[in-house]
Amino acid sequence: MRRTPAPLPWLGALLALYLVAPFIAGVPQAFLADWRSVDPHALLSATGVSVASATLATFIIALGGIPLGYLLARTSRRGLRVLGFVVQLPLALPPLTSGVLLLFLLGYQSVLGRATGGRLTDSFAGIVLAETFVAAPFLIIAARSAFAAIDPVLEGVAATLGRRPLEVFWRVSLPLAWPWLLSGMLLAWLRAFGEFGATVMVAYHPYSLPVYTYVAFGSQGLPSMLPILLPTLLAAGIIMASSGLLLPDLSPGARGAATQHAPTLAREPAATAPGVVLEQRVVSNSAAPASIADTTLSRDPVQPHGARAPALDVRLRRRLDGFDLQVEWQTPSRRLAVLGPSGSGKTLTLRLIAGLETLDAGSVRLGGQALEALEPAARHLGYVPQNYGLFPHLTVAQQLCFPAGADPQAARRWLQRLELAGLEGRCAAALSLGQQQRVALARALVRPAQALLLDEPFSALDTPLRRRLRQELRQLQAELPLLTLLVTHDAQEAALLAEELLLLEGGRVLQIGPMESVFRRPVSESAARLLGAEQSAIGTVRDAHTLELGDGASIDAPGPALVPGMPVGWSFPIARGRLSATGQYAGSVESVATAGTDRQVMVRVGGTRVRVLAGAMHPAQGSPCRFDIDAQAVQVWPLPRAMPPGG
């Protein structure tokens, strides 16, 4: 049990004692009260008026207050911010002041009063209107807070699953906010039930319970008060007790337990996706590849089957909170990746394509179809956000049946294909991160889609699981005839899962091209760093595939032809260079350092320095050495201006 800081229990206990004390003080009055002076018929009538008026007022408040709270939570326009302030003013006003203001609106001499013949005051309708005015802020504030607490990503995901805005509200926003909305409605009911000041000004007759209490006190005094207060205390007690029963336990464990018996998809034991062969794969736990080159230049090609994936053509312009994004990309490739550092605009690019953000200018075309004017629900794009966007109130089975037009048989097949069978009754909180990722992927694939948009889907996973799920996605890319667009900051991930790459930095395109071409010939050192370059050196192009390093030293640089005489920067991963007694290149040892379990050697070769691994060698500082570099891992980029070779 966590220990509470010393002053807090005392302060809390002091206030609690004060709040409980009046109830304790009222207990002896039960024996001193004048029970005979109470008019049961009048008391029952006043109680009925208050219960009925508070219930009707709460219904009216809910009918308009929930949509208003949603609007205030989802819109940042200045006019609505002012409105959000004004509608809370009744909380700050003395009740009698609220009553006077209502008389200006509803009284006999007002426009509405004359139009209705004065029926809005001194009537049941007047009581309801007065209670609505003073109690509405409780629900509006609760609704605004509840909707503001919902992750907007969930609503965006629901839209990409084919749900229109009103459907998203009813099926996602409202269920998630409901516990807090119910709490707000209970508070509004209690406030309306106990309202006196505004009611007595607007509708002195018929008596509501608070007004009847005031009248009885004036005529009979304190001894008759306890019997009259009993209905109020009883109603408040019932409502507060009901709140404990109606409001669910919102803890993740309780939520998962509450839904473990939710409806599930009937399983078909042998069901698989059409054309998909379930296979047992052995996933190696060996270390990840040392560089992007390990996956880029030595992987097997992914061969899609079936229909050709649609070509992507986007021209995106968006300014958001001072950030300016400009992207133009036309490609027929079906496996794409956007690579860049945090804050480069990768996620914004994906959201613009999905229709979750509005273009300032530009276009989005997929397979020749213009999408920019379509709502997300009509674009037929599967979307998996960074946090997977699983709906907390739905089970796995319900998640897969949520997309518009979802095919239950397809849902069952994807349950089997992605090894989710047996988890149908669980909610997101009861799933591991890997299971959540696969549920999100299955949900996106249940609905027919032209493209699958993936926003850093592996960033929250540990290394072994990330490696396994990357391979699973790679297999799916080979099986599904749709375009996949992956957003990532991991060069290895992009190399494994994409055949064309867009490098993005600061909202601007650094480079676009086939993966191997971009890797071998980045346009700048910044691009090379994004691609995982760990070191950089300078040289001059001797011929189309050779770099001159000075002092007669040179290095091979296979790939697209280089321009002789051009000054360039170049790099290779440290792990792709190693000392060897019979190495291709000669140099001298400048220093030796230990990095983890490896020893790194700084070698001077020609007019520059590079780092390689020592391997089994034990070189001394200043001694000559020989080493090899994997030419397939060498990256070369042009320098912005002529620079002499050197380290």
Side-chain angles (χ1 to χ4, degrees):
M1 182 176 179
R2 188 172 297 175
R3 187 171 181 141
T4 306
L8 301 185
W10 293 104
L11 293 173
L14 186 62
L15 180 59
L17 179 62
Y18 174 70
L19 295 176
V20 171
F23 297 97
I24 298 175
V27 173
Q29 298 302 316
F31 304 99
L32 304 175
D34 183 4
W35 295 86
R36 292 172 299 176
S37 63
V38 177
D39 182 350
H41 181 269
L43 179 59
L44 184 61
S45 174
T47 302
V49 168
S50 284
V51 170
S53 61
T55 302
L56 181 56
T58 303
F59 174 78
I60 294 172
I61 292 168
L63 195 62
I66 292 175
L68 179 57
Y70 182 81
L71 186 63
L72 293 174
R74 288 290 177 263
T75 308
S76 58
R77 295 175 185 171
R78 182 184 180 89
L80 282 174
R81 289 203 301 269
V82 173
L83 177 63
F85 171 78
V86 172
V87 298
Q88 296 179 55
L89 279 179
L91 287 176
L93 296 176
L96 291 176
T97 303
S98 297
V100 171
L101 291 174
L102 286 172
L103 286 177
F104 292 153
L105 176 67
L106 309 173
Y108 293 105
Q109 300 304 315
S110 69
V111 174
L112 286 176
R114 290 195 299 269
T116 58
R119 287 189 292 272
L120 298 181
T121 57
D122 276 333
S123 63
F124 181 79
I127 296 175
V128 172
L129 291 173
E131 292 175 347
T132 299
F133 183 75
V134 297
F138 287 89
L139 178 56
I140 294 171
I141 292 172
R144 182 178 187 174
S145 300
F147 289 123
I150 296 174
D151 188 352
V153 169
L154 297 176
E155 296 174 331
V157 168
T160 64
L161 293 171
R163 296 299 177 181
R164 304 290 179 178
L166 190 58
E167 289 181 293
V168 173
F169 174 79
W170 280 109
R171 301 191 61 170
V172 177
S173 307
L174 190 61
L176 291 179
W178 182 248
W180 291 270
L181 297 178
L182 182 58
S183 177
M185 284 190 287
L186 292 175
L187 288 174
W189 191 93
L190 288 170
R191 181 68 181 87
F193 181 78
E195 172 53 30
F196 167 74
T199 303
V200 79
M201 295 294 292
V202 176
Y204 191 77
H205 297 95
Y207 287 155
S208 65
L209 188 57
V211 174
Y212 177 75
T213 303
Y214 171 75
V215 172
F217 179 74
S219 61
Q220 301 174 31
L222 190 61
S224 64
M225 284 301 98
L226 185 61
I228 295 175
L229 292 178
L230 283 179
T232 302
L233 296 172
L234 182 61
I238 291 173
I239 291 298
M240 297 305 293
S242 299
S243 69
L245 298 174
L246 295 175
L247 295 180
D249 185 347
L250 302 177
S251 65
R255 187 185 295 121
T259 55
Q260 64 181 346
H261 300 299
T264 61
L265 294 170
R267 274 181 270 164
E268 297 176 359
T272 59
V276 173
V277 178
L278 292 178
E279 57 186 52
Q280 298 294 326
R281 291 190 298 277
V282 178
V283 180
S284 171
N285 289 323
S286 60
S291 75
I292 186 174
D294 295 327
T295 49
T296 304
L297 307 179
S298 61
R299 68 183 191 272
D300 297 329
V302 174
Q303 299 294 339
H305 69 79
R308 180 180 179 83
L312 180 68
D313 183 345
V314 295
R315 292 170 174 82
L316 311 176
R317 299 288 186 278
R318 178 70 163 130
R319 181 179 290 275
L320 189 65
D321 297 330
F323 179 80
D324 187 22
L325 177 74
Q326 296 186 27
V327 173
E328 292 192 11
W329 195 8
Q330 301 83 43
T331 173
S333 300
R334 63 181 296 273
R335 297 187 301 113
L336 311 173
V338 180
L339 178 67
S342 297
S344 61
K346 304 186 302 296
T347 294
L348 181 57
T349 297
L350 208 65
R351 289 177 61 83
L352 287 168
I353 294 173
L356 302 176
E357 295 282 349
T358 304
L359 284 170
D360 292 334
S363 61
V364 177
R365 301 184 71 85
L366 190 60
Q369 180 187 9
L371 302 183
E372 64 272 10
L374 300 179
E375 292 182 350
R379 297 193 181 197
H380 294 281
L381 303 176
Y383 174 57
V384 179
Q386 290 184 34
N387 63 358
Y388 311 138
L390 297 185
F391 307 123
H393 61 300
L394 300 184
T395 65
V396 171
Q398 293 166 341
Q399 304 271 359
L400 268 60
C401 291
F402 181 90
D407 180 359
Q409 292 185 354
R412 287 191 291 268
R413 289 194 293 266
W414 283 114
L415 279 172
Q416 296 286 341
R417 174 65 180 86
L418 295 177
E419 301 175 7
L420 297 169
L423 304 178
E424 297 93 331
R426 294 191 187 181
C427 281
L431 300 173
S432 69
L433 284 176
Q435 290 167 340
Q436 290 181 30
Q437 193 255 21
R438 281 179 281 153
V439 170
L441 187 60
R443 184 183 60 185
L445 295 171
V446 164
R447 181 173 180 248
Q450 303 179 78
L452 181 61
L453 311 180
L454 305 165
D455 190 359
E456 302 199 38
F458 310 107
S459 59
L461 308 178
D462 57 57
T463 299
L465 182 58
R466 182 164 61 245
R467 191 178 304 122
R468 177 191 175 191
L469 293 181
R470 282 175 180 171
Q471 294 294 338
E472 288 185 353
L473 178 57
R474 181 174 163 82
Q475 180 67 22
L476 289 175
Q477 286 178 317
E479 298 163 353
L480 299 174
L482 51 73
L483 179 146
T484 58
L485 175 55
L486 171 73
V487 160
T488 182
H489 61 270
D490 187 325
Q492 294 184 31
E493 193 166 279
L496 178 69
L497 298 172
E499 57 194 0
E500 183 163 332
L501 182 64
L502 181 149
L503 296 182
L504 197 60
E505 187 174 53
R508 297 294 186 273
V509 174
L510 282 180
Q511 189 173 0
I512 297 175
M515 178 63 67
E516 184 171 338
S517 175
V518 172
F519 169 75
R520 290 189 186 277
R521 300 292 183 261
V523 295
S524 65
E525 184 172 352
S526 294
R529 296 287 183 188
L530 287 177
L531 292 164
E534 302 170 312
Q535 58 182 327
S536 62
I538 295 173
T540 303
V541 178
R542 174 190 292 179
D543 58 44
H545 299 102
T546 308
L547 304 183
E548 177 68 50
L549 307 182
D551 298 333
S554 63
I555 188 171
D556 296 336
L562 299 166
V563 179
M566 180 175 66
V568 294
W570 64 282
S571 177
F572 64 90
I574 297 171
R576 305 302 285 273
R578 189 174 294 268
L579 294 184
S580 171
T582 59
Q584 180 180 359
Y585 305 108
S588 61
V589 176
E590 289 204 346
S591 63
V592 181
T594 300
T597 58
D598 296 319
R599 286 178 300 125
Q600 295 183 2
V601 181
M602 181 69 77
V603 176
R604 173 169 286 278
V605 51
T608 191
R609 298 180 182 87
V610 295
R611 284 180 294 164
V612 299
L613 296 182
M617 308 291 289
H618 296 277
Q621 185 172 344
S623 64
C625 66
R626 300 196 69 83
F627 61 96
D628 289 312
I629 296 174
D630 183 352
Q632 300 301 318
V634 173
Q635 297 170 287
V636 181
W637 59 89
L639 293 177
R641 62 181 185 276
M643 297 179 65

